Every structure is written in structure tokens, then in C-alpha cells.
């Protein structure tokens, strides 16, 4: 068996999830005994000061005997996070134009952007003008 046959045999099925700077690769692979297992690879792009870039990769292997428990725990953990924190993406808060709406305040106590005035918006008048 040549090297190409080995590569085709090893990678059986693949899916890719692109998520910003991260890419997740889900690959079904075959063992030497012709059994299947799953690899999940996270690849994250880093840019150097000079504009060049490199990738850091982390890989985990999940074998069939662990699928049920892995799936159950993954579902439990993701459900917990959504239940505790909702599905708002927190990193969006770090965008420079992010404006948080505070739902915990009554609407009568909320201040809108139009209501907030700075001294720059006032007209400078003299009492002599009155």
C-alpha cells in the first residue's frame, strides 16, 4: 500500500467549522485495525508584529467507547452555559461600538442617548443679552 492509499484510508469523513480566528476540524479516521475514531482539531491563527502569521493547533482523539459519555457531557455543559449566561456572545461587548441595553431597570429610569447632553451642546449667552 502506498502513502496516498494510507492517507485516503485514514481520513474517512471530515467537516470544518470556521469561527473567526479559529477553525475546527472534525475528522473520522481509521485505526490500523480498521476501526473508526474521531479527532477534533482547533486551529487558531496568530499574526506577528511584522504581518506574518502562524497557526497553533490542538487536537483531541475520541474513541467509540467514549462517544456516549462524551456526547452526554458535552450537551450538559453547553446547556449549562446557555442556561446560565444566555446565548449572547460576550466578546461582542468588547467591540468599540457596543452599547448594552439594561433590561433590569424600569423603562422610566433609563436614559437615552438623546437625553444625555454635554456642555458642548449648550449655547453660551451673556446676561447682558437678556
Amino acid at each position: 500500500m502506498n502513502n496516498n492509499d494510507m492517507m485516503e484510508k485514514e481520513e474517512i469523513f471530515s467537516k470544518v467549522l470556521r469561527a473567526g480566528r479559529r477553525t475546527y476540524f472534525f475528522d473520522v479516521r481509521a485505526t490500523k485495525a480498521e476501526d473508526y475514531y474521531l479527532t477534533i482539531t482547533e486551529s487558531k491563527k496568530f499574526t506577528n508584529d511584522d504581518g506574518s502569521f502562524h497557526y497553533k493547533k490542538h487536537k483531541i482523539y475520541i474513541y467509540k467507547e467514549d462517544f456516549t459519555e462524551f456526547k452526554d457531557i458535552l450537551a450538559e455543559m453547553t446547556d449549562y452555559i446557555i442556561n446560565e449566561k444566555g446565548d449572547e456572545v460576550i466578546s461582542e461587548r468588547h467591540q468599540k461600538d457596543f452599547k448594552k441595553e439594561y433590561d433590569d431597570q424600569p423603562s422610566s429610569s433609563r436614559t437615552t442617548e438623546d437625553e444625555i447632553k454635554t456642555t458642548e451642546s449648550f449655547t453660551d449667552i451673556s446676561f447682558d443679552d437678556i
Side-chain angles (χ1 to χ4, degrees):
M1 189 180 313
N2 68 29
N3 212 11
N4 282 342
D5 290 339
M6 192 62 155
M7 284 302 291
E8 288 176 19
K9 197 170 199 178
E10 188 178 332
E11 292 183 18
I12 310 301
F13 181 66
S14 295
K15 289 276 190 171
V16 176
L17 170 62
R18 297 191 196 298
R21 291 184 346 171
R22 292 182 191 88
T23 302
Y24 299 98
F25 299 92
F26 298 83
D27 298 302
V28 174
R29 297 178 180 263
T31 65
K32 289 179 183 177
E34 298 296 322
D35 204 1
Y36 290 171
Y37 64 98
L38 173 67
T39 63
I40 301 174
T41 306
E42 176 201 38
S43 177
K44 191 172 181 181
K45 184 177 183 178
F46 290 89
T47 305
N48 300 318
D49 293 336
D50 65 0
S52 64
F53 56 89
H54 66 280
Y55 294 92
K56 287 189 180 177
K57 294 183 180 183
H58 299 93
K59 185 177 284 201
I60 62 170
Y61 297 81
I62 306 164
Y63 297 94
K64 287 191 316 189
E65 61 268 22
D66 303 321
F67 284 178
T68 301
E69 194 171 358
F70 183 89
K71 201 166 57 169
D72 292 346
I73 291 173
L74 179 62
E76 180 182 355
M77 300 308 266
T78 55
D79 289 348
Y80 176 83
I81 292 169
I82 298 300
N83 290 336
E84 291 293 314
K85 295 294 183 178
D87 42 13
E88 174 192 12
V89 178
I90 302 298
S91 61
E92 290 176 356
R93 293 183 185 178
H94 299 288
Q95 306 286 333
K96 62 182 173 185
D97 59 347
F98 177 79
K99 290 186 176 75
K100 173 76 173 151
E101 291 184 26
Y102 295 97
D103 294 331
D104 54 345
Q105 292 183 353
S107 59
S108 61
S109 67
R110 289 187 194 149
T111 304
T112 66
E113 203 172 307
D114 293 335
E115 295 171 322
I116 299 172
K117 303 289 183 191
T118 64
T119 56
E120 295 170 7
S121 66
F122 294 129
T123 304
D124 194 16
I125 60 169
S126 166
F127 281 99
D128 295 335
D129 294 337
I130 301 181

